[in-house]
Amino acid sequence: MYNKLQYISQGNTIEEQLHNIHEALDNGCDWIQMRFKNQTDSDCYKLAEAAKFLCEEYLANFIINDNVALAQKIAADGVHLGLMDMKIKDARDILGKTKIIGGTANTFENIKNHIQNGCDYIGLGPFRFTTTKEKLSPILGLESYESIIAEMKKQNLEVPIYAIGGIDLSDVEALMQTGIHGIAVSGLITENPSKTKLITQLNEKLYGNVIV
Ligand SMILES: Cc1ncc(COP(=O)(O)OP(=O)(O)O)c(N)n1
Ligand SMILES: Cc1nc(C(=O)O)sc1CCOP(=O)(O)O
Ligand SMILES: [Mg+2]
């Protein structure tokens, strides 16, 4: 089963990105999504190669945002695809059964479609407003997570759900009580000066008394 904490990388340059990824890994994060928007193919490739190398050193999962061709080229562990990105079925045809394919959802219907198309996990959001992503979908809040998870249970639908968007440490317990599998965060980890403490606290709240 997938780890419950995914770090989505930030940084305007390859150096900043690698620094942030390295810090997340060094402080206990073992799933990285490389998110490097509006960059040249060459810079995305350079970052992906270096970040994959780092993740291998830390035995962490490494997936790439948006770019299926790049994920295939560097043999990443998978991709994350949004509602406007390549279709999950097409990505599966390219990457094969063993790679992780995550999909973004904002509604129960999105989740149902993703499951039908064979996605491995869902990033369901935004939980609340965040400046990390432009053009956010409607904000969900705790109540929508509760109702969407309840509807999934009613219809016997199972897929790991990750809450995303403006999540803070103090949100994690309530979010986990809705029945989600984990969280995906970016700004929270990037901006925190005490990353070891933060990631330890996040993992305590995410895993509770689950034995791993
Ligand atoms: C885990 C996770 N969930 C959702 C997203 C958002 O993907 P997308 O909607 O394609 O937006 P961009 O990240 O591409 O701006 C994500 N990246 N990860
Ligand atoms: C990349 C992304 N996707 C979202 C969605 O709702 O689909 S919210 C988001 C930003 C996550 O970063 P932060 O933890 O800094 O808010
Ligand atoms: Mg995308």
Side-chain angles (χ1 to χ4, degrees), residues 37 65-66 80-83 85 104:
K37 291 283 196 185
N65 180 250
D66 295 344
H80 185 93
L81 299 173
L83 294 164
D85 298 322
T104 302

Side-chain angles (χ1 to χ4, degrees), residues 8-183:
I8 300 181
S9 71
Q10 274 186 356
N12 296 322
T13 63
I14 294 176
E15 291 71 29
E16 271 177 30
Q17 283 267 338
L18 277 179
H19 173 80
N20 290 334
I21 290 170
H22 203 165
E23 290 258 292
L25 291 166
D26 218 21
N27 288 290
C29 215
D30 42 22
W31 189 352
I32 306 292
Q33 177 188 148
M34 177 189 124
R35 184 170 182 270
F36 197 32
K37 291 283 196 185
N38 307 317
Q39 304 291 329
T40 62
D41 285 351
S42 156
D43 280 0
C44 287
Y45 176 72
K46 278 185 208 151
L47 173 61
E49 277 278 301
K52 186 191 166 204
F53 187 77
L54 269 180
C55 287
E56 278 170 359
E57 204 178 301
Y58 285 84
L59 303 179
N61 272 335
F62 178 59
I63 66 169
I64 294 183
N65 180 250
D66 295 344
N67 195 332
V68 175
L70 179 59
Q72 185 186 34
K73 188 167 173 181
I74 67 142
D77 295 312
V79 284
H80 185 93
L81 299 173
L83 294 164
M84 310 299 282
D85 298 322
M86 182 188 281
K87 297 275 161 283
I88 285 173
K89 267 189 179 161
D90 295 338
R92 182 67 71 201
D93 287 345
I94 294 168
L95 295 176
K97 281 187 202 157
T98 60
K99 298 295 180 182
I100 303 168
I101 302 183
T104 302
N106 181 248
T107 64
F108 173 73
E109 281 308 315
N110 296 154
I111 294 176
K112 213 170 161 179
N113 286 336
H114 282 331
I115 293 174
Q116 274 162 6
N117 291 321
C119 103
D120 295 306
Y121 79 87
I122 306 272
L124 177 63
F127 170 63
R128 74 158 63 82
F129 176 77
T130 174
T131 53
T132 306
K133 180 179 162 179
E134 291 169 4
K135 296 184 188 146
L136 285 175
S137 294
I139 288 169
L140 295 173
L142 203 56
E143 299 72 27
S144 297
Y145 284 88
E146 281 163 354
S147 59
I148 289 172
I149 302 284
E151 191 57 33
M152 285 178 69
K153 286 200 176 124
K154 206 167 142 192
Q155 299 198 24
N156 279 321
L157 294 175
E158 279 182 34
V159 70
I161 301 284
Y162 288 76
I164 183 167
I167 295 172
D168 203 355
L169 178 65
S170 58
D171 299 317
V172 179
E173 270 166 320
L175 275 168
M176 290 304 283
Q177 274 167 19
T178 66
I180 60 164
H181 177 73
I183 58 170

